Amino acid sequence: MLRKEQNDLLTQTGPGTPMGQMFRAYWIPILLSEELPENDCPPVRVKILSERLLAFRDSEGRLGLIDEFCAHRGVSLWFGRNEEAGLRCPYHGWKYDVNGQCVDVPSEPAESGYCKKIKLKSYPLIEKGGVVWAYMGPADKRPPEPAWEFATVPEKNRFVSKRLQESNWLQAMEGGIDSSHVSWLHRGDLAHDPLFKGARGNQYNLGDARPVFEVVESAGGLYIGARRNAENGQYYWRITPWVMPSFTMIAPRGNHSVHGHFWVPIDDENCWTWSFDYHPIRELTDSEVTAMRGGKGIHVTYVPGSYRPAANKDNDYLMDRAAQKAGRTYSGIAGIAMQDASLQESMGPIVDRTKENLVSTDNGIIMARHRLMRAAKALAEKGTTPPGVDPEHQKIRSVAIVLPADVPYKEGAKEALIAKPGVAPATV
Amino acid sequence: MLRKEQNDLLTQTGPGTPMGQMFRAYWIPILLSEELPENDCPPVRVKILSERLLAFRDSEGRLGLIDEFCAHRGVSLWFGRNEEAGLRCPYHGWKYDVNGQCVDVPSEPAESGYCKKIKLKSYPLIEKGGVVWAYMGPADKRPPEPAWEFATVPEKNRFVSKRLQESNWLQAMEGGIDSSHVSWLHRGDLAHDPLFKGARGNQYNLGDARPVFEVVESAGGLYIGARRNAENGQYYWRITPWVMPSFTMIAPRGNHSVHGHFWVPIDDENCWTWSFDYHPIRELTDSEVTAMRGGKGIHVTYVPGSYRPAANKDNDYLMDRAAQKAGRTYSGIAGIAMQDASLQESMGPIVDRTKENLVSTDNGIIMARHRLMRAAKALAEKGTTPPGVDPEHQKIRSVAIVLPADVPYKEGAKEALIAKPGVAPATV
Amino acid sequence: MLRKEQNDLLTQTGPGTPMGQMFRAYWIPILLSEELPENDCPPVRVKILSERLLAFRDSEGRLGLIDEFCAHRGVSLWFGRNEEAGLRCPYHGWKYDVNGQCVDVPSEPAESGYCKKIKLKSYPLIEKGGVVWAYMGPADKRPPEPAWEFATVPEKNRFVSKRLQESNWLQAMEGGIDSSHVSWLHRGDLAHDPLFKGARGNQYNLGDARPVFEVVESAGGLYIGARRNAENGQYYWRITPWVMPSFTMIAPRGNHSVHGHFWVPIDDENCWTWSFDYHPIRELTDSEVTAMRGGKGIHVTYVPGSYRPAANKDNDYLMDRAAQKAGRTYSGIAGIAMQDASLQESMGPIVDRTKENLVSTDNGIIMARHRLMRAAKALAEKGTTPPGVDPEHQKIRSVAIVLPADVPYKEGAKEALIAKPGVAPATV
């Protein structure tokens, strides 16, 4: 349970808010590379952290993220012409480069230097791992490039998607931290989803619906360890990292690709759920990629022309009571992603955490919230760089491992929790 | 005309409001029995008196009305599994019985007794007359079961429907109290609607568009008597009762079924209009039921999959100006129910009663408002049980009767105004 | 740039606001005559200057503009019966004439004189030039009839349309004052639109994208002169008048019809853009009218059954990036009207003028705003009739003319700027 002011602190990320300031300390994913497919392609409206911005790729391939609205009279530059190394407002021809610098005001004599005085707000973008990342904080605090393993493996080892989630970012991310719901909400899918079924380890999950959770701090966030009984008095551990501000991973299953999420606020009542699959040492197979594109695993299918899921709150997520009754799905909603999203959206746009009743399996969530609040406070008051900015904090993995009963997982899985190029993930 | 604070008092029914407290003194209709058709059927979201609740019928047929949201982290239990004598949240498996008592928190050891401490808000439901009724007030004030005649006649004598009305409850109910509009708004329908036409008595209605109204208090509310001239210096009286908080009836016509309404606030800008037809001593005929299902009389047809009328404000109620011009309908809207609803919704979500100009034919409305305000005040200040809670107040009938000019209708129709099992209604 | 209180002053036109008071000093267009096609036709809901009104044409052809809602209990009179020289509320039969005077309350004895005490707010309407005009100010200040030339030429010389614009009126009108965007936003259309292409003068427009603007005050508003170089050291002037409160014209092109606009607030976030084409001395040709009906020139096509443009913000104005890339349209939006509207709506419902950066080409806009503020203040404080009320201020024309370099346009075009019946417009 949180006090109202704590809930406000954690859920509000607009300009000037403490949590907003903290998100602005990181490189955060804002677009798929496919949304800016080529030089001089159409610009894309980007609402992120409650700011209305415009992303574009100029004639030389440079990426820009600038204020959506022209400095002259406020027209949306989404209508602009992306050509000749800049974006030109179609109303009176004012032109901006990728840094938001105005480079032409046609009505003013070039020699007046007027346009030099006009500059739109802009943020740097970089492209890595099929994702366009933005840094929206102070220039002198710009962090090193993101080093998440999914973004650094060869392109064919990876599949990344995003979907609109119509809720605050925090209740979405809390679902990613919370491993304890898997045995309930997703139980039908472990047996049937092509990206989950048939893996070693599932038998432990399905065999023990009451795992014991041990949550410990990591350099960048937390490790959430879920302990189940294995053979011969050993323990089966599924260890899933949370790295600040909002990166989570699912523990691996056999030789399957590993999955994870990034949760990015659009505004306080909507967020992007980024979903990635990758394998550190092999390419994804055609059938895996086909399944991912088809909305299997943690991915979804969309309302055409959008990144809004085809199953959404307007159609009650295509609830299928017969499937629920028959146990084909546990909640009646198809697909792991929408099983999570439907419930998280059902909590309301911003869940009221003054009313919740948390139990021991929520320790990961409790500790993450406190770590977020501590870091936001340290950043606001002392300028302390928050955990997770350091690329070393990002080079982590989830782990599924059987350990002797007397070995703490942070020790027994120590090496396995570090992302190492060319090294296979630890799975049973 | 009301002062603003009076209008607010009468129209606001959320938790903590005086009128909300008063509605919570009664059994009020919330669902048709057909919405919870069998044991372990899907739960139904119920917004009523501005509270978001969930109704379900458990494995043993018990009915429950509980808080829509799980006590754990706030997920909507609409996604829950209704099975094994309770509703289980699909997120982490917390389970509730029909009283909102948590009966299982799977992650906690059963011996901890944790789940006993978790209880959702819940209200009792009963089923009577094809309707599910809720009592949302204090447990120690729970009234006797509803005794409205329509709910106590044999099932085949009755037809009940409900429709969404997109306005505050009061302006809807005022239409039910107001008999004076019938000769205007519904004049086309008295002659053509299969459930109204051809009845004795219509000739008086159509012959005298300026009835004299006499409104008198009854034990549970009011009798509204509309007096028209009949043969031989006698009077034709149509007497329609209003019983608190929001029950109204239409006066009978020959051997036709009798009609009435219940008006129940969803929130302050929407209400359910309940519409019933029944006959005290005979079954409804197939053709009557077919007409009712087809939206004749006071019933409507719906947007598929909902209880929203097919004719609604988004399509201007399918206004037919040619029918209006030709006099086939008086307002251009088809059907008695939507003739009323269209005008009442056109007043705005909550009509501003500081601007109205009432005349003598509005006396029923004026007296009902004052009685409501008086009762709400007495309940709030002294705990006085309001009129209409007592089942004897509910055993009433509407009457159509010809009386000598010197007999007050409250005397002349005294017996006819009481519902008596097996006794035919008084009609001309 | 404006201060916030200046922006509020200029953009708010509801009852009681200074700018609202000023709009109420003029005859303003509210309906096309075709919307009230015959006696006793259906009444039309009219929201204008944030007031909800109802217009109707009674049995004798008289026009009325009255409060939308019945004085009795607030029902919308849109559902009323327009018959026998008045509009009758279908609820209880109260009846009103075109002046809002209640002429019948059926439930009250006629001899009581009750209905004489009931009068709805009403405003006078007149019909001129295919347009229904309303005057919403004090009766004793009623101005002479509108004298705009487009409304006084023979019917066959004129085509008038209106379209919903989903923005405040001021940012819409500022587009009409601002000639400087034509060379940018509309450049594709000067060459291709059947109502613009092939005219003399276009070569100057396309040949000089940086005209010099000279703005001077006129009796009723402003003249905005755009100067471009012509042959032999002469100047090509395009002079477009703005007359208060919101009338603008486009400069003529050869023998083409001349175009102009009227911008009328619906509420503070929506306005009607009126668009007219006319020729002072000839009928419009069939092909011209066909093009106008087809959405060419400054006209649009509509969502069926409405005056909302078919290209609108819900479909991103049917943005065609390929056409934009190829230069067939400059912004990717088809048609002059929607090119303007799309950009103006993209500024948001009410553009924040505290953030703009105006340049010399915005002088017309700057001067118009100041003139509006001055006039609103003089009207509010001293009752001064604002410019543009006098019919002489309305008898103006736009002009396209070549003048010697040393002749000020206000002198050189003095006669041409006055509308004279039977005299051809001055064009090159």
Side-chain angles (χ1 to χ4, degrees):
Chain A
M1 193 186 299
L2 293 180
R3 294 192 307 276
K4 180 177 185 309
E5 60 271 24
Q6 292 176 315
N7 201 34
D8 290 348
L9 174 71
L10 284 167
T11 55
Q12 297 173 0
T13 60
T17 62
M19 195 58 54
Q21 187 184 355
M22 201 166 78
F23 263 99
R24 286 167 176 81
Y26 302 87
W27 287 103
I28 50 179
I30 63 152
L31 292 175
L32 289 162
S33 289
E34 71 187 33
E35 294 180 80
L36 293 172
E38 60 187 19
N39 296 358
D40 286 340
C41 63
V44 177
R45 288 179 282 227
V46 174
K47 190 173 185 190
I48 211 91
L49 301 178
S50 298
E51 296 187 43
R52 292 181 63 177
L53 304 165
L54 199 71
F56 67 109
R57 192 187 296 268
D58 80 1
S59 314
E60 271 110 70
R62 291 173 298 207
L63 292 169
L65 181 64
I66 65 176
D67 195 312
E68 184 187 334
F69 302 99
C70 182
H72 179 209
R73 303 238 320 275
V75 157
S76 171
L77 293 168
W78 181 80
F79 294 89
R81 298 180 64 86
N82 187 7
E83 61 188 11
E84 296 169 0
L87 194 63
R88 197 181 281 280
C89 178
Y91 211 5
H92 302 87
W94 292 31
K95 186 170 176 179
Y96 302 92
D97 70 15
V98 289
N99 300 310
Q101 178 60 52
C102 184
V103 295
D104 190 18
V105 173
S107 70
E108 299 297 299
E111 59 276 18
S112 74
Y114 176 79
C115 78
K116 290 198 178 67
K117 291 181 274 185
I118 302 292
K119 189 178 181 310
L120 295 176
K121 175 170 73 176
S122 77
Y123 301 117
L125 294 180
I126 57 174
E127 201 170 4
K128 200 166 186 179
V131 174
V132 177
W133 308 74
Y135 169 68
M136 295 168 64
D140 63 341
K141 300 282 189 183
R142 177 168 164 163
E145 292 198 1
W148 312 100
E149 190 175 34
F150 84 87
T152 58
V153 295
E155 188 180 348
K156 296 210 161 177
N157 293 26
R158 170 182 63 233
F159 182 86
V160 184
S161 72
K162 70 173 191 180
R163 63 174 164 81
L164 176 66
Q165 179 152 346
E166 294 170 82
S167 80
N168 184 266
W169 76 280
L170 184 60
Q171 67 212 59
M173 186 188 78
E174 288 176 349
I177 290 175
D178 164 32
S179 305
S180 73
H181 74 276
V182 177
S183 313
W184 296 94
L185 182 59
H186 305 312
R187 63 169 59 170
D189 302 272
L190 295 187
H192 296 103
D193 189 281
L195 297 166
F196 280 77
K197 73 178 177 186
R200 284 204 61 203
N202 281 350
Q203 76 278 21
Y204 302 124
N205 278 61
L206 295 171
D208 184 355
R210 297 191 189 181
V212 176
F213 287 89
E214 285 184 22
V215 187
V216 296
E217 295 215 345
S218 68
L222 297 173
Y223 295 125
I224 298 100
R227 193 187 80 199
R228 287 177 175 86
N229 293 319
E231 302 83 354
N232 309 320
Q234 298 189 104
Y235 288 147
Y236 172 64
W237 286 98
R238 293 180 66 76
I239 310 164
T240 57
W242 167 68
V243 184
M244 288 180 58
S246 61
F247 174 93
T248 60
M249 280 184 78
I250 296 169
R253 278 184 171 76
N255 191 36
H256 288 209
S257 58
V258 287
H259 339 273
H261 295 290
F262 232 118
W263 320 83
V264 181
I266 294 171
D267 51 32
D268 292 345
E269 302 199 345
N270 295 277
C271 67
W272 288 117
T273 298
W274 287 84
S275 303
F276 56 83
D277 264 272
Y278 73 102
H279 201 284
I281 59 164
R282 69 164 174 86
E283 294 186 358
L284 302 184
T285 66
D286 286 352
S287 69
E288 281 175 326
V289 171
T290 299
M292 292 166 193
R293 286 198 199 288
K296 299 299 182 186
I298 60 172
H299 307 279
V300 301
T301 57
Y302 301 99
V303 173
S306 81
Y307 290 99
R308 191 184 194 211
N312 55 56
K313 64 177 175 178
D314 291 341
N315 54 28
D316 270 335
Y317 309 94
L318 307 173
M319 164 64 80
D320 181 344
R321 292 287 184 190
Q324 183 188 42
K325 186 67 88 181
R328 290 194 300 277
T329 58
Y330 194 69
S331 73
I333 308 302
I336 290 168
M338 294 319 299
Q339 285 160 7
D340 285 325
S342 59
L343 296 189
Q344 292 155 9
E345 292 183 6
S346 84
M347 298 167 170
I350 304 177
V351 70
D352 180 356
R353 292 181 179 77
T354 66
K355 291 185 176 167
E356 64 192 2
N357 289 280
L358 300 185
V359 288
S360 60
T361 50
D362 296 308
N363 271 348
I365 289 171
I366 294 167
M367 289 174 69
R369 292 176 188 173
H370 281 280
R371 192 129 198 220
L372 284 168
M373 289 191 283
R374 245 170 29 234
K377 200 176 167 205
L379 173 60
E381 294 178 0
K382 293 183 259 175
T384 312
T385 299
V389 171
D390 183 340
E392 293 308 310
H393 298 178
Q394 301 168 6
K395 293 174 185 167
I396 46 78
R397 281 188 184 162
S398 58
V399 168
I401 197 167
V402 173
L403 292 173
D406 59 351
V407 177
Y409 75 80
K410 206 174 170 182
E411 282 180 27
K414 186 170 182 178
E415 290 304 308
L417 285 165
I418 301 169
K420 290 180 187 137
V423 175
T427 65
V428 296
Chain B
M1 193 186 299
L2 294 180
R3 295 193 306 277
K4 181 178 183 308
E5 59 272 24
Q6 292 175 315
N7 201 34
D8 290 348
L9 174 71
L10 284 167
T11 55
Q12 296 173 1
T13 59
T17 62
M19 195 57 55
Q21 188 185 354
M22 202 166 77
F23 264 100
R24 287 168 175 80
Y26 302 87
W27 286 104
I28 50 180
I30 63 152
L31 292 175
L32 290 161
S33 288
E34 71 187 33
E35 294 180 81
L36 292 172
E38 60 186 19
N39 297 358
D40 286 340
C41 63
V44 177
R45 288 178 282 226
V46 174
K47 191 174 185 190
I48 212 89
L49 302 178
S50 299
E51 297 187 43
R52 291 182 64 178
L53 303 165
L54 198 71
F56 67 108
R57 193 187 295 269
D58 80 1
S59 314
E60 271 110 68
R62 290 172 298 208
L63 292 169
L65 182 64
I66 64 176
D67 195 312
E68 184 187 334
F69 302 99
C70 182
H72 179 210
R73 302 240 321 274
V75 157
S76 171
L77 293 169
W78 181 80
F79 294 90
R81 298 181 65 85
N82 187 7
E83 60 188 13
E84 296 169 1
L87 195 62
R88 197 181 280 280
C89 178
Y91 211 5
H92 303 86
W94 292 32
K95 186 170 177 178
Y96 302 92
D97 69 16
V98 289
N99 300 311
Q101 177 61 52
C102 185
V103 294
D104 190 18
V105 173
S107 70
E108 300 297 299
E111 60 275 20
S112 75
Y114 177 79
C115 78
K116 291 199 179 65
K117 291 180 276 187
I118 301 291
K119 187 175 182 315
L120 294 177
K121 176 170 73 177
S122 76
Y123 300 117
L125 294 180
I126 56 174
E127 202 170 4
K128 199 164 186 180
V131 173
V132 177
W133 308 74
Y135 169 69
M136 296 167 64
D140 62 341
K141 300 282 190 185
R142 178 167 164 165
E145 292 198 1
W148 311 100
E149 189 176 34
F150 84 87
T152 57
V153 295
E155 187 180 349
K156 295 208 162 178
N157 293 28
R158 170 182 62 232
F159 181 86
V160 185
S161 72
K162 70 173 191 179
R163 64 173 165 82
L164 176 67
Q165 179 152 346
E166 295 170 81
S167 80
N168 184 265
W169 76 281
L170 184 60
Q171 66 211 61
M173 186 189 76
E174 288 177 348
I177 291 176
D178 164 33
S179 304
S180 73
H181 74 275
V182 176
S183 312
W184 295 94
L185 182 59
H186 305 311
R187 64 169 59 170
D189 302 273
L190 296 187
H192 295 104
D193 188 281
L195 297 166
F196 282 78
K197 74 178 178 187
R200 285 204 60 204
N202 280 351
Q203 76 277 20
Y204 302 123
N205 278 62
L206 295 170
D208 184 354
R210 296 190 189 181
V212 175
F213 288 88
E214 286 185 22
V215 187
V216 296
E217 296 216 343
S218 67
L222 298 173
Y223 295 124
I224 298 100
R227 192 186 80 198
R228 287 177 174 84
N229 293 318
E231 302 83 356
N232 309 322
Q234 298 188 106
Y235 288 145
Y236 171 65
W237 287 97
R238 293 181 66 76
I239 310 164
T240 56
W242 166 69
V243 184
M244 287 181 58
S246 59
F247 174 94
T248 60
M249 278 184 79
I250 297 169
R253 277 186 172 75
N255 190 35
H256 289 209
S257 57
V258 285
H259 338 274
H261 295 290
F262 232 118
W263 320 82
V264 180
I266 295 171
D267 51 33
D268 293 345
E269 302 199 346
N270 296 277
C271 67
W272 288 118
T273 298
W274 286 84
S275 303
F276 55 83
D277 264 272
Y278 73 102
H279 200 285
I281 60 163
R282 70 164 173 86
E283 294 186 0
L284 302 184
T285 66
D286 285 351
S287 69
E288 282 176 325
V289 171
T290 299
M292 292 166 192
R293 286 198 198 288
K296 299 299 182 187
I298 61 171
H299 306 279
V300 300
T301 57
Y302 301 99
V303 173
S306 81
Y307 290 98
R308 191 183 193 211
N312 55 56
K313 65 178 176 177
D314 292 341
N315 55 29
D316 270 336
Y317 309 93
L318 306 173
M319 164 64 80
D320 180 345
R321 292 287 184 190
Q324 182 187 44
K325 186 67 88 182
R328 290 195 300 276
T329 58
Y330 194 68
S331 72
I333 308 301
I336 290 169
M338 294 319 299
Q339 284 161 7
D340 285 324
S342 59
L343 297 190
Q344 292 157 8
E345 292 183 6
S346 86
M347 298 167 168
I350 304 177
V351 71
D352 180 356
R353 292 181 178 76
T354 67
K355 291 185 175 166
E356 64 192 1
N357 289 281
L358 300 185
V359 289
S360 61
T361 49
D362 296 308
N363 272 348
I365 291 171
I366 294 168
M367 289 174 69
R369 292 177 188 173
H370 281 280
R371 191 125 200 224
L372 285 168
M373 288 191 284
R374 251 180 13 245
K377 202 177 165 203
L379 173 60
E381 293 178 0
K382 292 183 259 176
T384 312
T385 299
V389 169
D390 184 339
E392 294 308 310
H393 299 179
Q394 301 168 6
K395 294 175 184 165
I396 47 79
R397 281 189 184 162
S398 57
V399 167
I401 197 167
V402 174
L403 292 174
D406 58 351
V407 177
Y409 75 80
K410 207 175 170 181
E411 283 180 26
K414 186 171 183 179
E415 290 303 309
L417 285 164
I418 300 169
K420 290 181 188 138
V423 174
T427 65
V428 297
Chain C
M1 194 188 297
L2 293 180
R3 295 193 305 278
K4 181 177 183 307
E5 59 272 23
Q6 293 175 315
N7 201 33
D8 290 347
L9 174 71
L10 285 167
T11 56
Q12 297 172 1
T13 59
T17 61
M19 195 58 53
Q21 188 183 356
M22 201 164 79
F23 263 100
R24 286 168 176 81
Y26 302 86
W27 287 103
I28 50 179
I30 63 151
L31 292 175
L32 290 161
S33 288
E34 71 186 33
E35 295 179 80
L36 292 172
E38 60 188 19
N39 296 357
D40 286 340
C41 62
V44 177
R45 287 178 283 227
V46 175
K47 191 174 185 191
I48 212 89
L49 302 178
S50 299
E51 296 187 43
R52 292 182 64 177
L53 304 165
L54 198 72
F56 69 108
R57 193 187 294 269
D58 80 1
S59 314
E60 272 110 70
R62 290 172 299 208
L63 293 169
L65 182 64
I66 64 176
D67 196 311
E68 185 187 333
F69 301 99
C70 182
H72 179 209
R73 302 240 319 276
V75 158
S76 172
L77 294 167
W78 180 80
F79 294 89
R81 297 180 66 84
N82 187 7
E83 61 188 12
E84 296 169 1
L87 194 62
R88 198 181 280 280
C89 178
Y91 211 6
H92 302 86
W94 292 31
K95 187 171 176 177
Y96 302 91
D97 70 14
V98 290
N99 300 311
Q101 178 61 53
C102 185
V103 294
D104 190 18
V105 173
S107 68
E108 300 296 299
E111 59 274 20
S112 74
Y114 177 79
C115 79
K116 290 199 179 65
K117 291 180 275 186
I118 302 291
K119 188 177 181 311
L120 295 177
K121 176 171 73 176
S122 77
Y123 301 116
L125 294 180
I126 56 174
E127 202 169 4
K128 199 166 187 180
V131 174
V132 177
W133 308 73
Y135 169 68
M136 296 167 64
D140 62 342
K141 300 282 190 185
R142 177 167 164 164
E145 291 198 1
W148 311 100
E149 190 175 34
F150 83 88
T152 57
V153 294
E155 187 180 349
K156 295 210 162 177
N157 292 27
R158 171 183 62 232
F159 182 86
V160 184
S161 71
K162 70 173 191 179
R163 64 173 165 82
L164 176 66
Q165 179 154 345
E166 295 169 83
S167 79
N168 184 265
W169 76 281
L170 184 60
Q171 67 211 60
M173 185 188 76
E174 288 177 348
I177 291 176
D178 164 33
S179 304
S180 74
H181 74 274
V182 176
S183 313
W184 295 94
L185 182 59
H186 305 312
R187 63 169 58 169
D189 302 272
L190 296 187
H192 296 105
D193 188 281
L195 297 166
F196 281 78
K197 73 178 177 187
R200 286 204 60 204
N202 280 350
Q203 76 278 19
Y204 302 124
N205 278 62
L206 295 171
D208 184 354
R210 297 190 190 181
V212 176
F213 288 89
E214 285 185 23
V215 187
V216 296
E217 295 215 344
S218 67
L222 297 173
Y223 296 125
I224 298 99
R227 192 187 80 198
R228 288 177 174 85
N229 293 319
E231 302 83 354
N232 309 320
Q234 298 187 104
Y235 289 146
Y236 171 65
W237 286 98
R238 294 181 66 75
I239 309 165
T240 57
W242 166 68
V243 184
M244 287 180 58
S246 60
F247 174 93
T248 60
M249 279 185 78
I250 297 169
R253 278 184 171 76
N255 191 35
H256 289 208
S257 57
V258 286
H259 337 273
H261 295 290
F262 232 118
W263 320 83
V264 180
I266 295 171
D267 52 32
D268 293 344
E269 302 199 344
N270 296 277
C271 66
W272 288 117
T273 298
W274 287 84
S275 303
F276 56 82
D277 264 271
Y278 73 103
H279 200 285
I281 60 164
R282 68 163 174 86
E283 293 185 358
L284 302 185
T285 66
D286 286 351
S287 68
E288 282 176 325
V289 171
T290 299
M292 291 165 193
R293 286 199 198 288
K296 299 298 181 187
I298 60 172
H299 306 280
V300 301
T301 57
Y302 301 98
V303 172
S306 82
Y307 291 99
R308 191 185 194 210
N312 55 54
K313 64 177 177 177
D314 292 340
N315 55 27
D316 270 335
Y317 309 93
L318 306 174
M319 164 64 79
D320 180 346
R321 292 286 184 191
Q324 182 187 43
K325 186 68 88 182
R328 290 193 301 276
T329 57
Y330 194 69
S331 73
I333 308 300
I336 289 168
M338 294 319 300
Q339 285 160 8
D340 284 326
S342 59
L343 297 190
Q344 291 156 9
E345 292 182 6
S346 84
M347 297 166 170
I350 305 176
V351 70
D352 180 356
R353 291 180 179 76
T354 67
K355 291 184 176 168
E356 64 192 1
N357 289 280
L358 300 185
V359 288
S360 60
T361 48
D362 296 308
N363 271 348
I365 290 171
I366 294 167
M367 288 174 69
R369 291 177 189 173
H370 281 280
R371 192 127 198 222
L372 285 168
M373 289 191 283
R374 243 168 34 232
K377 201 177 166 202
L379 173 59
E381 294 178 0
K382 292 182 260 175
T384 312
T385 299
V389 170
D390 184 339
E392 294 308 311
H393 298 178
Q394 301 168 5
K395 295 174 184 167
I396 45 80
R397 282 188 184 163
S398 58
V399 168
I401 197 168
V402 173
L403 292 174
D406 58 351
V407 177
Y409 76 80
K410 206 174 171 181
E411 282 179 28
K414 186 171 182 177
E415 290 303 310
L417 285 164
I418 300 169
K420 290 182 187 137
V423 175
T427 64
V428 296

